[in-house]
Amino acid sequence: MTAACGFAATSGVAQGPSLAMLDRLESGLWEVRARDEADTVQICIDNGRKLIQIRHQRETCRRFVVDDTPGLVTVHYTCPANGYGHTRVRFENARLAHLETQGIDNGLPFNFVAEARRIGPCR
C-alpha cells in the first residue's frame, strides 16, 4: 500500500488533554496493517500522536479530544479544505496498538480498522 492510498503518518499538535497513553508507545519503525487489506505500510514515528491522522498526512488539522484514558484515545480532527477524521487508538502494549479511523479525505469517505505494530528502529 502506498502513501497515495492515505496510509501515512502526520504531524500536528494535539489540543486539550495530554494524550499520555500515546506517549507510552515506543518510537521507531511501525507497520500498519488494515484488517480488510493484505497490504501494509511501514512508517517511522517519534511518538504515538502520529497515529491519529493516518489519512491526513503532513496536514495541520485542529484536533478535539473525545476520550483520553490510559487504554484508549479518541480524537476528532478537522483539516481546512481537505476533510476530517475520527480516530480511536487502543493501547495493547508499548509496541502494539489498534486503530479505527473514518472520515473524509479529498472529498471521499474512508473507514478502516488497522493494527499498528513496532517492528524495529527507524532506518
Side-chain angles (χ1 to χ4, degrees):
M1 182 174 289
T2 65
C5 293
F7 237 11
T10 184
S11 62
V13 178
Q15 299 174 359
S18 68
L19 302 175
M21 181 276 285
L22 296 174
D23 294 334
R24 294 171 34 210
L25 297 174
E26 291 183 21
S27 62
L29 185 63
W30 284 68
E31 181 177 82
V32 180
R33 177 185 307 267
R35 186 175 292 164
D36 297 337
E37 300 175 23
D39 293 333
T40 63
V41 66
Q42 293 181 356
I43 57 174
C44 185
I45 65 170
D46 56 357
N47 68 67
R49 286 167 177 78
K50 301 248 175 146
L51 297 175
I52 293 172
Q53 290 175 222
I54 293 292
R55 287 298 290 260
H56 293 92
Q57 64 177 328
R58 298 182 190 99
E59 291 186 46
T60 301
C61 303
R62 285 181 293 151
R63 297 180 181 174
F64 175 76
V65 177
V66 178
D67 291 311
D68 184 11
T69 69
L72 178 73
V73 165
T74 305
V75 177
H76 180 84
Y77 62 89
T78 303
C79 308
N82 197 26
Y84 63 89
H86 186 88
T87 302
R88 297 179 92 188
V89 181
R90 189 178 75 224
F91 182 87
E92 295 295 328
N93 61 55
R95 295 177 171 213
L96 177 65
H98 289 95
L99 310 175
E100 297 175 30
T101 188
Q102 62 182 349
I104 301 292
D105 184 22
N106 287 321
L108 299 173
F110 65 89
N111 183 6
F112 64 89
V113 176
E115 177 181 271
R117 181 180 302 272
R118 186 182 185 279
I119 58 175
C122 294
R123 298 176 192 153

